[in-house]
Amino acid sequence: MARSKKDVSSVVSGAGLLTRIFTDLDKEMRDRGGTDEDWHRLTRSEGAPVIAQMAQAMVGEVESGTSESYQLTVNYDRTLVEMVEAGHYDYANDNITADNFPIEGSGSAECEGVLVHLDRYASTTEVEAEIAKRGLRPATIEELLAFGEAYPEVQREFPVVELGSSWVSSYGNRHVASLWSHSGRRHLNLDWYEGDWGSYCRFLAVRK
């Protein structure tokens, strides 16, 4: 049964809870080689950023999936077929064609890719809102294919989805491209844009 806000506030205000939190935090800090000086540092000006990060973590504002970025080189002078072949996928969906996903751009471009992870089930609208909140934009299929070519092992860990390019089938369903694996085989596939996404999915985004 869920507690009321009043009940939660009463528990939080208890000295016993604060003592337990401090004790657990002190143990974690010292297990990592921390000392009394690290605690004392929190009382000085240089400790403010650390306290702010702790507060962000407590309210769930730390951005998961964005701590590691990926440098990408996209060669727009390649055909889509060449981009797919460069990824050496074990399977590629037959509907990923130049007619359905026309190349937009020319020459070669560098960009920074970021994997956004919401760590929960979410609609495409929610994912796109989170990407925009972080000052990013959804990656295109060209950028996804550059990612798959440069970092082929990542998709063995979790699905990587692009939301910046899409194709509408004859049934009226909108699809986006994704990288995933099955039985150790690397797949380039299509997913339904309008569906909800699993908590394990990562969404490739690009810094503006």
Side-chain angles (χ1 to χ4, degrees):
M1 181 180 295
R3 291 175 173 173
S4 69
K5 290 184 178 179
K6 182 178 179 181
D7 292 336
V8 172
S9 297
S10 298
V11 172
V12 170
S13 63
L17 177 63
L18 297 178
T19 299
R20 177 178 176 182
I21 291 173
F22 177 85
T23 300
D24 291 346
L25 183 58
D26 182 68
K27 180 180 183 302
E28 292 291 335
M29 184 267 290
R30 295 186 188 279
D31 286 346
R32 290 163 173 77
T35 65
D36 290 344
E37 175 58 26
D38 292 299
W39 279 119
H40 185 59
R41 189 180 299 114
L42 294 181
T43 67
R44 303 196 295 265
S45 58
E46 63 263 35
V50 178
I51 293 175
Q53 291 175 1
M54 293 168 62
Q56 286 179 332
M58 290 176 66
V59 299
E61 292 180 357
V62 173
E63 298 175 355
S64 59
T66 63
S67 59
E68 185 175 1
S69 61
Y70 300 81
Q71 291 304 124
L72 303 176
T73 300
V74 184
N75 184 354
Y76 291 97
D77 291 334
R78 284 176 172 175
T79 65
L80 187 71
V81 171
E82 290 172 333
M83 291 182 178
V84 172
E85 290 178 344
H88 302 291
Y89 303 103
D90 298 300
Y91 166 82
N93 191 293
D94 291 338
N95 289 305
I96 299 179
T97 65
D99 288 337
N100 296 336
F101 292 91
I103 299 297
E104 298 183 2
S106 61
S108 183
E110 304 284 334
C111 62
E112 181 183 357
V114 176
L115 292 182
V116 175
H117 180 208
L118 274 65
D119 198 23
R120 62 179 175 84
Y121 279 89
S123 67
T124 300
T125 299
E126 291 175 310
V127 175
E128 291 175 331
E130 182 64 24
I131 290 174
K133 175 184 174 182
R134 301 182 187 188
L136 308 170
R137 65 165 176 79
T140 63
I141 191 171
E142 297 94 337
E143 291 158 344
L144 180 75
L145 293 173
F147 180 91
E149 177 184 355
Y151 307 98
E153 295 305 309
V154 174
Q155 71 185 91
R156 298 187 192 277
E157 301 177 38
F158 38 70
V160 180
V161 184
E162 61 84 10
L163 297 174
S165 302
S166 63
W167 164 67
V168 178
S169 72
S170 58
Y171 296 100
N173 297 323
R174 186 176 174 186
H175 298 271
V176 292
S178 65
L179 306 176
W180 190 210
S181 67
H182 180 70
S183 299
R185 294 166 56 85
R186 294 171 58 243
H187 288 197
L188 169 63
N189 216 335
L190 293 176
D191 284 294
W192 191 28
Y193 175 88
E194 287 83 2
D196 285 343
W197 301 97
S199 59
Y200 46 82
C201 292
R202 270 65 167 180
F203 303 89
L204 183 63
V206 175
R207 296 204 182 278
K208 297 180 180 179

